[in-house]
Amino acid sequence: MIFFIIMYRDKFGSVSGSVYISRHPCFPVALFGPGSRPVRSHASEAVDLYPIFVSVVLTGILHIGMLSGQEVAKHNSRDSCWIIVHGQVYDVTEFLDDHPGGSKIILKYAGKDATQEYDPIHPPDAITTNLPADKHLGPVALDTVEQAKVVVTEEEKARQARFTARPPLNEILNLHDFEAIAQQTMTDKAWAYYSSAADDEITNRENHAAYHRIWFRPRVLRDVTRVDWSTTILGHKTSMPVYITATALGKLGHPDGELNLTRAAGKHGLIQMIPTLASCSFDEIVDGAQPGQVQFFQLYVNKDRAITKRIVQHAEQRGIKGLFITVDAPQLGRREKDMRMKFEAEDPSEVTKAGSEGVDRSQGAARAISSFIDPGLNWNDLVWFKSITRMPLILKGVQCWEDAMEAYDRGLAGVVLSNHGGRQLDFARSGIEVLVEVVGKFKAMRGLTFPNEKFQLFVDGGVRRATDVLKAVALGATAVGVGRPFLYAYSTYGPEGIDKALQILHDEFEMNMRLLGAKTMKDVVPSMVDASNIHTHIVAVPEDRLYDSNYQSLQSATLKTIRNKL
């Protein structure tokens, strides 16, 4: 931006001045160049003004009340670390050791503009929410800030080439295909975060394998000319018994992040569960919904109950229809694929500088993210939750019938039978296996059958086909949560990828309901499945070669590359 001070003379000889703002350095040509004409004054009487003098003033001189890039650049160390995000300067010195991604990435941008690195993995308001007001130092004159040089590595060039070589969307036939393409085209950091699971990833694989131990018992000679797979969740209509479950850091895969899911849910008549740790802000996601679009909210409970109360009540005020309280994460699990990426990204010298009391980087993002989650959350807190909101309360992460029964007895609206996508306790059982156990115990001890409007059971983890969903519904689930496949869909093909993924599911529902002999979801009943082997963890089942081919094995520690000095 450039300021031009223009001096004028009118036909009577009087001289006056004006300041013009222009992005173009050739602005004075319009006044002094060939064919230039006099301009009109703003006085009540029109008077022709003739430009006689121009002075160019760079904006850097006129930035009153703004910090300069030179001043910010001085604060580029662990002892004094300032960064620029969206044109604002923040002092993050005291936050370095608490940053989820470690200190190195912040120090890389110390004294510089970190917006490009910040945006993909943070909600826009994350920095203002987590830093005290006195650490917000004010705006910076952006034209005085040295622009960081972007170096594209050979690895990144190769990744971009693979992305360009993606097959056309009409060649994507199932949800497995999105995962296969994502593994080859996403950044290593994004793929590691989305795909990683706890420890040896046994539970992650079991979540999918458990569906293979359930077989159909289809009925024939039923009129299935028209089939309808729509249903309701907590009393709200949905086009299929599937909801988009909460998944964190959506912008790792696409610049629009969770908004891709919001728009797709509205377009296709699904319900989205908004995550606490979204890359987009909560209000952005709610504002991105269509009028009347139903959304749920997944909550990590903060140790500071005042913060939790504010978040919950704000969600209710914005029209959220269900509060899903995560109860399986008093501490986040060890995701070793993700942790190995942290090892590569972390500078050992910075760990050393932090001293013995520094952050344990072996925990990757888990240590810092879990620092705000309350490990003391217990059953007695549910009374408090009921006192601060009228939203239906659902516990997300229940893994045995005893806890499901406790939730029912305490008057909750339902539970999600889930092990956090296999990302928490390895060797926890699959949600579909726990479902069979829960339904059996409720029938024996409370006389309840499922699906049940008064207390709804949900399942997530491992779902890749509409047949998986139909098995869960037949066994008593109201609906099933799907997460990773939708992330892979928009990470590889953007909004069109989500549209394709949901259309695939719609097509699979239509075909499989006909083949099963069910006209509506109420016709999908327990007698249509054989789950007698669900609790047998070692049993011969046909291989799922699409799933197995996508699974990326865990890697062991390796020697560093030794370069020959010669």
Side-chain angles (χ1 to χ4, degrees):
M1 193 74 71
I2 301 174
F3 285 81
F4 295 93
I5 299 177
I6 312 293
M7 304 304 295
Y8 295 97
R9 173 183 57 76
D10 65 23
K11 63 183 179 181
F12 304 109
S14 297
V15 175
S16 60
S18 296
V19 176
Y20 289 83
I21 302 174
S22 174
R23 293 183 180 277
H24 201 288
C26 296
F27 173 76
V29 172
L31 299 174
F32 293 96
S36 61
R37 297 179 181 180
V39 297
R40 292 281 178 166
S41 73
H42 296 288
S44 57
E45 245 178 67
V47 178
D48 288 339
L49 300 176
Y50 296 83
I52 57 173
F53 173 78
V54 60
S55 176
V56 180
V57 182
L58 297 178
T59 52
I61 300 175
L62 298 182
H63 285 306
I64 300 173
M66 286 188 173
L67 291 162
S68 71
Q70 292 84 353
E71 175 61 26
V72 176
K74 296 176 183 177
H75 301 270
N76 60 357
S77 67
R78 173 173 283 276
D79 295 328
S80 181
C81 182
W82 293 6
I83 61 171
I84 301 166
V85 175
H86 296 143
Q88 302 292 321
V89 181
Y90 300 91
D91 182 351
V92 295
T93 310
E94 297 175 7
F95 181 67
L96 288 173
D97 290 335
D98 289 325
H99 181 240
S103 61
K104 184 199 172 186
I105 190 61
I106 297 182
L107 290 168
K108 177 181 177 181
Y109 289 93
K112 302 174 185 175
D113 192 334
T115 304
Q116 188 173 2
E117 182 73 23
Y118 172 94
D119 273 345
I121 55 176
H122 300 88
D125 59 353
I127 194 164
T128 53
T129 301
N130 290 289
L131 283 181
D134 63 339
K135 302 301 181 183
H136 181 181
L137 305 181
V140 66
L142 287 175
D143 56 337
T144 66
V145 176
E146 182 180 355
Q147 298 301 311
K149 295 181 180 178
V150 178
V151 179
V152 181
T153 64
E154 291 303 316
E155 290 81 1
E156 175 60 15
K157 290 178 182 178
R159 186 195 69 81
Q160 292 175 4
R162 293 193 300 272
F163 190 86
T164 303
R166 292 166 301 157
L169 202 49
N170 59 12
E171 293 184 12
I172 300 298
L173 302 181
N174 52 61
L175 299 189
H176 295 287
D177 284 349
F178 287 112
E179 186 170 355
I181 302 302
Q183 184 175 347
Q184 299 176 71
T185 60
M186 292 180 72
T187 64
D188 290 343
K189 179 167 67 174
W191 171 256
Y193 182 79
Y194 286 167
S195 67
S196 62
D199 295 351
D200 298 314
E201 301 190 345
I202 304 299
T203 289
N204 179 43
R205 287 173 280 164
E206 163 64 7
N207 281 345
H208 182 70
Y211 285 97
H212 297 184
R213 301 197 295 273
I214 304 168
W215 295 84
F216 284 122
R217 301 179 68 252
R219 301 302 300 270
V220 298
L221 293 177
R222 294 184 172 185
D223 183 0
V224 287
T225 305
R226 295 179 181 274
V227 290
D228 179 9
W229 52 97
S230 65
T231 187
T232 60
I233 301 176
L234 299 178
H236 303 285
K237 292 182 179 179
T238 176
S239 63
M240 65 176 81
V242 168
Y243 60 89
I244 300 174
T245 196
T247 49
L249 305 187
K251 287 186 180 180
L252 281 177
H254 188 277
D256 287 346
E258 293 81 7
L259 285 172
N260 288 300
L261 304 174
T262 305
R263 294 160 185 158
K267 182 177 180 180
H268 293 270
L270 266 69
I271 299 175
Q272 176 193 20
M273 185 190 296
I274 301 173
T276 295
L277 298 175
S279 293
C280 301
S281 72
F282 171 81
D283 286 314
E284 269 188 304
I285 297 172
V286 174
D287 291 340
Q290 296 180 8
Q293 182 177 333
V294 176
Q295 294 174 305
F296 299 147
F297 182 64
Q298 172 268 329
L299 176 72
Y300 283 120
V301 179
N302 199 300
K303 295 174 185 176
D304 187 334
R305 286 296 191 269
I307 294 176
T308 296
K309 182 178 180 180
R310 173 177 57 80
I311 292 171
V312 169
Q313 294 185 338
H314 180 65
E316 185 170 12
Q317 290 166 2
R318 291 305 313 268
I320 296 300
K321 302 302 183 185
L323 182 65
F324 288 68
I325 304 171
T326 294
V327 293
D328 60 0
Q331 174 179 331
L332 294 195
R334 290 172 54 90
R335 295 96 185 251
E336 294 185 8
K337 285 177 186 172
D338 190 36
M339 289 163 62
R340 235 170 257 290
M341 288 299 300
K342 303 300 179 187
F343 276 135
E344 293 174 7
E346 189 56 70
D347 182 352
S349 66
E350 295 303 334
V351 178
T352 303
K353 289 178 185 177
S356 59
E357 299 300 318
V359 175
D360 179 7
R361 299 302 180 203
S362 69
Q363 292 298 314
R367 181 266 176 197
I369 292 175
S370 63
S371 64
F372 80 88
I373 300 174
D374 187 3
L377 182 68
N378 62 78
W379 291 104
N380 294 329
D381 291 313
L382 297 178
V383 176
W384 178 76
F385 274 105
K386 288 183 177 181
S387 74
I388 66 169
T389 182
R390 300 182 67 180
M391 288 185 289
L393 302 180
I394 300 91
L395 300 186
K396 181 179 182 295
V398 170
Q399 298 169 76
C400 65
W401 72 265
E402 292 91 343
D403 286 340
M405 192 78 72
E406 183 81 13
Y408 171 76
D409 290 341
R410 289 177 177 265
L412 272 65
V415 293
V416 182
L417 306 174
S418 167
N419 52 47
H420 215 100
R423 292 161 74 85
Q424 289 298 97
L425 178 65
D426 208 11
F427 285 94
R429 296 173 302 163
S430 67
I432 192 69
E433 179 178 346
V434 177
L435 175 66
V436 174
E437 175 186 274
V438 168
V439 169
K441 290 292 184 179
F442 266 77
K443 185 175 182 179
M445 300 176 68
R446 295 292 187 273
L448 293 181
T449 58
F450 292 90
N452 192 299
E453 290 297 318
K454 294 182 180 179
F455 188 76
Q456 300 190 11
L457 303 177
F458 306 98
V459 173
D460 68 27
V463 172
R464 294 297 184 271
R465 297 274 191 182
T467 48
D468 299 332
V469 180
L470 290 170
K471 290 174 182 179
V473 171
L475 291 169
T478 295
V480 170
V482 176
R484 285 186 180 103
F486 294 149
L487 293 178
Y488 297 142
Y490 77 63
S491 296
T492 49
Y493 290 92
E496 295 80 10
I498 286 285
D499 289 340
K500 178 69 172 182
L502 291 172
Q503 188 57 54
I504 287 171
L505 286 176
H506 277 297
D507 292 344
E508 289 185 355
F509 272 116
E510 182 176 17
M511 179 187 71
N512 287 294
M513 286 187 68
R514 283 201 176 106
L515 297 177
L516 195 56
K519 295 179 67 173
T520 70
M521 295 312 301
K522 290 182 179 180
D523 298 315
V524 181
V525 294
S527 62
M528 286 183 166
V529 293
D530 174 5
S532 57
N533 283 324
I534 189 64
H535 300 298
T536 306
H537 295 147
I538 300 178
V539 59
V541 297
E543 293 181 6
D544 186 337
R545 297 190 179 182
L546 284 175
Y547 181 86
D548 291 342
S549 66
N550 285 335
Y551 178 71
Q552 184 182 49
S553 297
L554 289 165
Q555 301 297 311
S556 301
T558 58
L559 294 175
K560 293 182 178 180
T561 302
I562 300 176
R563 296 181 180 178
N564 193 325
K565 292 183 179 181
L566 299 178

